[in-house]
Amino acid sequence: MTDTMSPFAGGIVGTPRLRKEDPPLLTGESKFIDDLQLPGALWISLVRSPHAHARIDAIDASAALAVDGVVAVYTGADLEGDWAGPLPCAWPVTDDMKNPAHLPLAVGKANFAGDAVAVVVATSRYAAADGVEGVVVDYEPLEAVVDVRDAASDRLVIHEDCGTNVAYDWELTPDPDGVAAAFQDAVHHVTETYVHQRLIPAPMETRGVAVVPAPHNGDMTLYSSTQIPHVLKVMASLTLGVPEQKLRVVAPSVGGGFGCKLNVYAEELVCMTLANRHGVPVRWTETRTEASTATIQGRAQRQTIELAADADGKLTGVRATLLADMGAYLQLVGPGVPLLGAFLYHGLYDVPVYSFTCRSVFTNLTPTDAYRGAGRPEATYAIERAMDSLAVAVGVGQDEIRSRNFIPTEKFPYDSPAGLIFDSGNYQPTLDRAKELVDWDGRRAEQAERRATGSTMHLGLGISSYVEMCGLAPSRTLAALNYGAGGWESATVRILPTCKVQVVTGATPHGQGHETSWSMIVADRLGVDPDDVEVLHSDTAISPLGMDTYGSRSLSVGGTALWMATDKVVEKARAIAAHMLEASAEDLEFAGGTFTVKGSPDKEVPLAGVAFGAFTAHDLPDGMEPNLEAQVTWDPGNFVFPFGTHIAVVEVDEETGAVELVDYAAVDDCGNQINPMIVEGQLHGGIVQGVAQALWEEAIYDADGQLRSANLADYLVPSAAECIDMKLDHTVTPSPTNPMGVKGIGEAGTIASTPAVMNAVVDALRPMGITDVRMPASPMTVRRAIEAAGGAS
Amino acid sequence: MIPAAVDYVRADSVEAAIAALVEHGDEAKLLAGGQSLLPLMRLRLATPTVLVDVGRATDLAGISVEGDTVSIGALTTHSTLEHSAELAVACPLLAHVASVVGDPAVRHRGTLGGSVAHADPASDLPAAVLALGGTLVVAGPGGTREVAATDFFTGFLESVLGVDEVLTEVRVPVSTGGWSYQKFNRRAQDWAIVGVVVAEGGAGVSLVNMASTPMRATAVEAAVAGGASATDAAAGAADGTEPPTDNQADGAYREHLARVLTARALTAAGR
Ligand SMILES: Cc1cc2nc3c(=O)[nH]c(=O)nc-3n(C[C@H](O)[C@H](O)[C@H](O)COP(=O)(O)OP(=O)(O)OC[C@H]3O[C@@H](n4cnc5c(N)ncnc54)[C@H](O)[C@@H]3O)c2cc1C
């Protein structure tokens, strides 16, 4: 669908453009942490608890110290005095939240399998690994708590000093009486319980850290494969007591994060303190096993959702209750993840009253935290699955139940029952278009035909309409949610003397293509070639101000700062041009990279002339500073609210239980698109990641808290071979929250796709009496559901 | 993911490989494509102290068809099998099975000899050799012997190969009768949760991942020989199996899959 509302006129924004990041990535020129050459660096390897819960009685490192190349071994107790504070949790969602001490190296007790208890320092990675084999830890294994309900019962309290496994209870019920009345008067009352399995983020590049100290002037550079160099700088200096002005944090090329690199990790602090102690660079590269056990995991929630509706299936109330698994400790923003979904359990439906409660508990499993979508996939899953149940209860189609309940377009900006203001929306066209793309009626007929002929290959159709809140976030809103930082973003535009452009952004790309998109925005507006715009980022010495990349915030927040900095630099250039043309600034037009005097088209000066004039400063207006540079920090006034409809068509093999995705349509609305090719790429990856939760991925733990899927043979990340051609289309409803009219698209695919697939699986099996299948819908799980329902043998 | 220290010896002929194995005894391991051995070493589940690399032993490569027999050098990669024009004619089943092993990278390094010698009940090619009634040629310090595939596999990752022996060749009969390989897995690159190989219209039927070794489904073969329909013959597919339980499947589900897949394989093979 065409877009007539774009504020861009330069002909660059809105057209597909290959990513400038890709040639160095594809040729191996890009440097990741493990590629850094650091002469004289020491390597560390962590000794990790094999037990999910165990007292650490004694640690004998003598055999390790005898290994060739091993320089030192430190236990948790040895380093305890190095920490000015525990590993940070920046989101104490309630004032009385329980936050057990979480030291980079555990002291006294290990609380999950993978918890680091000692570190070996050696002259090579291999020697460090050999050293780990030589460290003998005397553990006293304790019973592990692995289930959230068991944890909530406090039958066995993990952190004795907390006195309970409950980290916090959090509630959002603006109108309790209204909710009670809605459920009392409901004609239809749907109650469903869903479980979100634990997921392992599994970026292609595992984490890695390298710390380079300068012992004599006290500087320290922390290289980390992180999404958050800026936040990390603040947190690391607080945790270690390193003076912040002496610390530089650099994220080199980062091979994906999906939220798992939005954290402050033990290894970063251990490398820093050991670099201090040894006075030489200290480095670490994570193994895939460690990436599975010692890096945060995602989801891990048990949800109950209730819908109240009238006889027509019009929603009158929504009530959601969560039990969320924090794992063994609270990580950087882990406690806040349920809150990021808390406002969206009514989805994109017009509901008068709303209630959300969450209890978060500790278990003896790997800590959880933000994973692509963080809270919104869970919320979308609950409402979209439950809407299908409501459709069945009311006796209408899954499409019809949604149409009846969509927030009407005329209600925007919409005051949501949870207290948000949805800035814009127009939902029905995305459903209509998605149905068209999968030939909804044709597929329904085919489904009926197969059922009538007794086929054992069942078709299922699943819809997921979604809205999400992203573009984190207005700082005041974050304050109201007890988050420990702001949500602004910064950008600098610097036009160099030769009219090439440097952009400095506080956003920190790790695969998203910011360099391409940012240069397109600037090029479109300044009338320069996108290849003449260099985007600098992810190094706190170059980009000192930033809040980093997560929560689909980079474009709507950081891009807006960039838009504004571009405005600001153009205004300065305009003043200089006016001076050069002996005209008044108001009379100048700027288009295609040239300032022209309105009405006198022959009086003009190109931006290049202004840039050089600003550099020589030979003839600037009185009082004007030389050079063309502007910096803006922007704090958004609201979230942005992308939306859309995805439809999955699956085929379920009744005999084996195998589910195959046979068609997929996604119609998304992220407002104005900067680079449609990047939008598509984000959707492709996001959709597959969400389908993966439905069909393949699960961190499988046994009753002792041992991870049984700690490598990529057992943890089923899908490959290209499992993907199908997706049918993508979009509508354009510009966001009024920012001048570019943009909304995030980094997480939308993941948010929308999981329930579309699971609704399709259940749709295929519903005639057998099946109303739910737990995720992932593995062949055995599906087959067991069919057998339990008395399906054919 | 970091292997323990290991010495490396290159053996460019079968003779040199045997000599190296004799010298180093059970400290040593042959290295062919490394696609099974190296992952185990990286997880420190295998810690040989000497690797004897036969990767350049040219006398171990090549496919030849003579009369009724296809002879394949142990070092022949899965990819070579997959794309061999000769094999496509003489034994299309084996070429097809090779084409569904792992992913392209694995198929370009992994070898038929390595796959058979590794004796993983979850692997595809050993079961194919079994269903085809193949023979394995083994060379050791005392000379060469031939072992029927049915006698080769003795336990989980165990075979009759001695520590100083090299599997030099895999021989299978020319086989152009109806065949099928039903590999059931969740991702293209994965090992089979269960696999069923049918050769010669059901005269040879073998099972992947249904016991501690690849095994022949003798009850199915007997039923086929007795004239049973595909469905009836498949009913006995799980007889005598001892399927493992893992993340993907428990024993009962594997038994069910074995029956379903056997019926499909027999049907596809023209039964
Ligand atoms: C990601 C991945 C996916 C895979 N998927 C599958 C799959 O779907 N199906 C499947 O069947 N396999 C799969 N494999 C395994 C693959 O097929 C291996 O190639 C094969 O099992 C071993 O062959 P190799 O040449 O790599 O042997 P190596 O790893 O070099 O050796 C394996 C073992 O055999 C011994 N050995 C090797 N050659 C000889 C010889 N000539 N004589 C005596 N002993 C010898 C070695 O000492 C070692 O013990 C996969 C592997 C990977 C890494």
Side-chain angles (χ1 to χ4, degrees):
Chain A
M1 288 177 199
T2 52
D3 138 35
T4 52
M5 292 148 288
S6 170
F8 291 93
I12 294 169
V13 162
T15 55
R17 199 179 160 82
L18 288 175
R19 304 194 327 161
K20 57 163 74 177
E21 290 86 344
D22 289 342
L25 284 170
L26 293 172
T27 56
E29 184 181 287
S30 299
K31 293 284 172 272
F32 296 85
I33 281 280
D34 202 54
D35 297 319
L36 299 181
Q37 302 287 326
L38 298 171
L42 294 173
W43 285 83
I44 65 161
S45 186
L46 285 302
V47 180
R48 299 185 184 278
S49 170
H51 305 287
H53 198 192
R55 262 178 232 300
I56 305 160
D57 287 338
I59 300 182
D60 177 3
S62 48
L65 289 166
V67 171
D68 213 17
V70 170
V71 173
V73 177
Y74 300 94
T75 65
D78 294 337
L79 295 184
E80 201 174 357
D82 288 17
W83 321 121
L87 282 165
C89 171
W91 205 334
V93 293
T94 60
D95 295 336
D96 60 353
M97 182 182 80
K98 301 284 189 296
N99 185 11
H102 181 196
L103 295 181
L105 294 183
V107 178
K109 216 172 86 165
N111 290 306
F112 68 97
D115 211 354
V117 303
V119 58
V120 175
V121 187
T123 51
S124 76
R125 195 176 180 199
Y126 283 74
D130 290 346
V132 166
E133 304 257 293
V135 178
V136 181
V137 185
D138 190 1
Y139 293 104
E140 182 196 326
L142 303 170
E143 194 189 341
V145 180
V146 300
D147 175 79
V148 279
R149 285 169 297 177
D150 187 28
S153 78
D154 276 342
R155 182 184 61 82
L156 194 159
V157 171
I158 298 167
H159 301 288
E160 289 94 344
D161 49 338
C162 293
T164 172
N165 292 327
V166 177
Y168 68 85
D169 285 303
W170 194 87
E171 176 160 15
L172 172 72
T173 310
D175 176 6
D177 296 342
V179 174
F183 281 94
Q184 199 145 43
D185 300 341
V187 176
H188 297 287
H189 182 160
V190 168
T191 306
E192 298 287 4
T193 297
Y194 304 117
V195 177
H196 285 262
Q197 76 271 36
R198 280 177 166 256
L199 298 180
I200 295 172
M204 207 184 291
E205 185 207 16
T206 56
R207 291 187 294 122
V209 180
V211 175
V212 180
H216 300 292
N217 75 5
D219 283 359
M220 179 173 273
T221 303
L222 163 61
Y223 297 92
S224 182
S225 180
T226 181
Q227 294 174 231
I228 53 162
H230 299 93
V231 173
L232 179 57
K233 177 162 75 73
V234 178
M235 293 299 171
S237 56
L238 288 174
T239 309
L240 269 176
V242 176
E244 193 187 341
Q245 81 282 7
K246 291 288 189 187
L247 181 59
R248 171 182 172 200
V249 180
V250 183
S253 286
V254 175
F258 311 116
C260 81
K261 295 175 182 173
L262 190 192
N263 233 303
V264 178
Y265 281 107
E267 296 82 2
E268 289 162 330
L269 300 166
V270 168
C271 283
M272 283 175 74
T273 207
L274 295 179
N276 257 336
R277 282 177 176 247
H278 290 265
V280 294
V282 172
R283 68 190 302 177
W284 171 76
T285 300
E286 188 180 47
T287 64
R288 186 57 67 182
T289 312
E290 289 177 302
S292 306
T293 52
T295 289
I296 65 96
Q297 299 178 353
R299 309 288 185 260
Q301 293 185 3
R302 193 184 167 82
Q303 8 172 258
T304 298
I305 183 165
E306 293 172 84
L307 309 183
D310 67 15
D312 296 330
K314 180 84 191 67
L315 289 169
T316 53
V318 172
R319 184 158 56 198
T321 340
L322 295 195
L323 196 50
D325 182 355
M326 298 285 103
Y329 305 102
L330 300 181
Q331 286 282 357
L332 189 64
V333 300
V337 170
L339 274 61
L340 291 171
F343 299 83
L344 291 174
Y345 277 79
H346 67 92
L348 64 183
Y349 306 114
D350 191 11
V351 183
V353 290
Y354 181 76
S355 171
F356 171 90
T357 45
C358 173
R359 167 165 287 194
S360 289
V361 298
F362 297 109
T363 57
N364 288 116
L365 302 178
T366 295
T368 61
D369 207 317
Y371 171 58
R372 201 170 191 172
R376 288 100 80 215
E378 295 91 319
T380 305
Y381 187 81
I383 180 67
E384 284 307 284
R385 292 290 321 280
M387 285 302 275
D388 270 23
S389 303
L390 180 62
V392 171
V394 178
V396 299
Q398 299 103 310
D399 47 349
E400 176 61 23
I401 197 75
R402 288 175 169 81
S403 296
R404 285 185 191 180
N405 284 288
F406 282 147
I407 298 164
T409 310
E410 59 278 9
K411 277 204 176 182
F412 290 95
Y414 173 75
D415 286 314
S416 91
L420 295 176
I421 300 171
F422 289 14
D423 64 355
S424 57
N426 184 14
Y427 302 143
Q428 185 65 40
T430 66
L431 173 58
D432 295 341
R433 180 71 183 125
K435 281 173 62 185
E436 230 169 82
L437 287 172
V438 297
D439 182 18
W440 178 266
D441 295 335
R443 284 294 196 180
R444 272 276 178 249
E446 187 186 347
Q447 179 185 51
E449 161 85 19
R450 289 194 191 196
R451 285 175 181 166
T453 56
S455 165
T456 55
M457 298 298 272
H458 302 271
L459 267 194
L461 283 73
I463 302 178
S464 161
S465 293
Y466 75 97
V467 63
E468 68 124 335
M469 50 185 263
C470 64
L472 307 184
S475 296
R476 287 183 177 176
T477 306
L478 291 176
L481 293 172
N482 267 17
Y483 182 58
W488 48 264
E489 196 46 87
S490 149
T492 301
V493 175
R494 186 180 296 141
I495 304 179
L496 303 175
T498 54
C499 204
K500 309 293 184 199
V501 184
Q502 269 181 345
V503 168
V504 182
T505 178
T508 51
H510 42 280
Q512 298 87 346
H514 294 20
E515 292 177 22
T516 302
S517 302
W518 271 223
S519 62
M520 288 172 71
I521 292 170
V522 171
D524 190 289
R525 303 202 65 213
L526 293 184
V528 300
D529 188 321
D531 288 337
D532 287 341
V533 183
E534 192 65 18
V535 181
L536 307 175
H537 58 81
S538 305
D539 178 343
T540 61
I542 292 170
S543 156
L545 296 175
M547 290 303 300
D548 306 316
T549 288
Y550 43 83
S552 301
R553 69 187 304 272
S554 290
L555 182 62
S556 66
V557 187
T560 300
L562 178 63
W563 168 281
M564 292 175 150
T566 310
D567 271 351
K568 206 166 159 182
V569 87
V570 168
E571 282 326 294
K572 181 168 182 183
R574 186 189 302 276
I576 298 171
H579 180 74
M580 291 167 88
L581 295 169
E582 296 177 341
S584 87
E586 301 83 70
D587 290 339
L588 292 195
E589 262 174 1
F590 180 60
T594 303
F595 289 97
T596 322
V597 180
K598 283 181 207 155
S600 326
D602 52 326
K603 286 188 77 178
E604 60 170 45
V605 58
L607 183 62
V610 180
F612 203 73
F615 162 67
T616 63
H618 292 172
D619 182 20
L620 292 178
D622 287 344
M624 179 166 286
E625 291 177 26
N627 293 314
L628 284 179
E629 173 173 319
Q631 190 265 333
V632 167
T633 302
W634 193 64
D635 202 331
N638 192 0
F639 297 94
V640 289
F641 297 86
F643 59 85
T645 297
H646 291 206
I647 298 183
V649 183
V650 303
E651 192 171 64
V652 181
D653 181 340
E654 178 180 321
E655 291 182 325
T656 63
V659 176
E660 195 185 330
L661 191 60
V662 294
D663 201 4
Y664 197 94
V667 181
D668 297 273
D669 191 321
C670 62
N672 290 321
Q673 300 189 1
I674 304 301
N675 184 342
M677 194 184 287
I678 285 182
V679 172
E680 280 196 5
Q682 287 295 317
L683 281 168
H684 286 150
I687 289 168
V688 172
Q689 213 157 5
V691 174
Q693 179 178 6
L695 297 184
W696 296 293
E697 296 185 12
E698 180 176 22
I700 300 169
Y701 281 95
D702 66 14
D704 297 327
Q706 295 293 328
L707 182 61
R708 297 291 175 205
S709 55
N711 60 58
L712 295 177
D714 293 323
Y715 186 79
L716 306 186
V717 177
S719 74
E722 283 70 54
C723 297
I724 60 168
D725 275 339
M726 299 166 223
K727 298 169 177 161
L728 303 190
D729 201 352
H730 59 272
T731 59
V732 178
T733 308
S735 166
T737 302
N738 59 69
M740 295 191 291
V742 297
K743 311 174 221 172
I745 197 67
E747 296 164 294
T750 312
I751 290 168
S753 58
T754 312
V757 174
M758 291 310 294
N759 277 340
V761 171
V762 172
D763 181 61
L765 303 176
R766 213 181 281 278
M768 301 177 196
I770 291 168
T771 56
D772 188 28
V773 174
R774 81 167 179 84
M775 294 190 289
S778 74
M780 184 166 74
T781 300
V782 172
R783 176 65 204 169
R784 286 282 145 80
I786 292 170
E787 283 169 1
S793 61
Chain B
M1 296 297 197
I2 303 287
V6 64
D7 283 334
Y8 174 90
V9 179
R10 215 175 102 179
D12 289 349
S13 65
V14 176
E15 205 182 322
I18 294 168
L21 291 176
V22 168
E23 183 186 343
H24 299 288
D26 58 7
E27 311 255 279
K29 269 276 177 199
L30 281 186
L31 175 69
Q35 298 302 293
S36 291
L37 183 55
L38 295 184
L40 291 177
M41 287 173 62
R42 289 171 67 91
L43 291 167
R44 299 198 176 197
L45 295 174
T47 49
T49 48
V50 182
L51 281 182
V52 179
D53 182 2
V54 291
R56 292 176 184 80
T58 42
D59 51 352
L60 281 174
I63 302 173
S64 67
V65 183
E66 269 168 53
D68 289 346
T69 306
V70 185
S71 304
I72 304 167
L75 262 188
T76 309
T77 64
H78 310 333
S79 173
T80 303
L81 297 176
E82 177 184 358
H83 297 109
S84 160
E86 273 172 301
L87 207 57
V89 174
C91 192
L93 167 62
L94 197 59
H96 171 75
V97 172
S99 78
V100 296
V101 173
D103 55 33
V106 170
R107 296 198 288 273
H108 275 90
R109 304 282 326 168
T111 67
L112 176 61
S115 183
V116 171
H118 195 55
D120 185 343
S123 284
D124 306 300
L125 287 161
V129 172
L130 206 49
L132 286 162
T135 303
L136 306 162
V137 184
V138 175
T144 295
R145 60 186 177 127
E146 289 181 21
V147 185
T150 36
D151 299 330
F152 186 80
F153 304 102
T154 54
F156 183 70
L157 305 187
E158 280 174 15
S159 72
V160 299
L161 276 177
V163 288
D164 51 7
E165 286 186 312
V166 178
L167 171 60
T168 57
E169 196 171 275
V170 176
R171 291 186 191 147
V172 292
V174 167
S175 174
T176 53
W179 59 269
S180 172
Y181 180 41
Q182 297 289 320
K183 178 173 181 174
F184 188 80
N185 57 9
R186 293 174 65 188
R187 297 179 304 177
Q189 79 225 46
D190 287 336
W191 274 267
I193 295 172
V194 173
V196 178
V197 187
V198 167
E200 292 297 327
V205 180
S206 66
L207 303 172
V208 175
N209 221 0
M210 286 299 291
S212 57
T213 62
M215 63 180 288
R216 283 182 81 137
T218 45
V220 178
E221 291 172 350
V224 169
S229 70
T231 325
D232 289 346
D239 292 4
T241 61
E242 286 176 32
T245 288
D246 57 25
N247 286 347
Q248 306 301 336
D250 61 17
Y253 177 60
R254 280 201 160 88
E255 290 179 9
H256 168 76
L257 280 180
R259 288 186 288 265
V260 170
L261 299 174
T262 300
R264 291 181 181 181
L266 287 171
T267 307
R271 179 75 204 161

